[in-house]
Amino acid sequence: IWRYLPSALIMLSVGLLAFWMSDSNIDWSNPPGNVVVVAAHDVRVVDGDTVEVAGEKLRLKGWDTPEKFGNEQCAREKVLGERASQYAKALFGRSREFLFVRTGTDSYGRTLSHWSLDGKEYGLQLQEAGLAKRWRFGLEMKPDWCLA
């Protein structure tokens, strides 16, 4: 068994690297064939990184926004979580087109997906407002929103 351990570790490393690379940005000017296009006003914002489209809950992949539903770690995170939700609602309210690409399912049953509003990557828009941080689930610690 010990002689196979180096090979197994290499395979695991390659698998983790492939998983990490799957979070890379999509070129929204030339989206993949499996992109779904929806009118932005048909999207219900749940919080900064979760929306609902026709009954399907979508979780933004590769990004984290502050929590607001009782699982926040501090008062600052709750305030930022509310702000992220309001900012998301405003973004969807002034956008015409919501594009997303499904990539899997998370432990809560939400569809993991990459998002764009009017051709601009959604996560980057929230990051510019200080309301999202890049996060590779399973590879990195969840961002700490309590630090000033």
Side-chain angles (χ1 to χ4, degrees):
I1 189 168
W2 294 109
R3 68 179 177 181
Y4 298 110
L5 187 58
S7 296
L9 288 175
I10 290 171
M11 289 174 53
L12 177 63
S13 298
V14 169
L16 286 175
L17 180 61
F19 174 77
W20 181 77
M21 295 298 287
S22 71
D23 280 345
S24 61
N25 295 339
I26 290 176
D27 177 6
W28 292 106
S29 64
N30 185 22
N34 60 339
V35 69
V36 178
V37 181
V38 177
H41 67 266
D42 290 337
V43 177
R44 184 179 74 82
V45 173
V46 176
D47 63 19
D49 54 25
T50 306
V51 298
E52 189 172 335
V53 176
E56 179 181 14
K57 282 196 177 174
L58 306 175
R59 168 61 166 86
L60 181 62
K61 185 173 183 182
W63 294 91
D64 183 54
T65 62
E67 303 295 337
K68 69 171 197 169
F69 290 117
N71 51 350
E72 66 279 347
Q73 300 298 310
C74 62
R76 180 177 189 273
E77 182 176 13
K78 185 174 181 86
V79 168
L80 288 173
E82 275 300 327
R83 196 173 296 159
S85 293
Q86 293 305 315
Y87 191 81
K89 289 176 184 176
L91 278 177
F92 277 90
R94 67 176 176 253
S95 298
R96 292 184 16 233
E97 204 171 57
F98 174 59
L99 288 78
F100 67 95
V101 177
R102 294 178 180 97
T103 63
T105 306
D106 72 4
S107 59
Y108 296 102
R110 299 173 297 188
T111 301
L112 294 171
S113 50
H114 297 285
W115 306 352
S116 165
L117 281 170
D118 292 339
K120 298 176 195 142
E121 186 177 345
Y122 174 83
L124 288 176
Q125 294 179 67
L126 261 67
Q127 182 182 45
E128 289 169 2
L131 299 170
K133 296 179 182 179
R134 286 202 177 273
W135 179 40
R136 308 293 189 240
F137 177 80
L139 296 177
E140 300 172 346
M141 295 290 294
K142 187 169 175 25
D144 187 346
W145 291 98
C146 298
L147 299 174

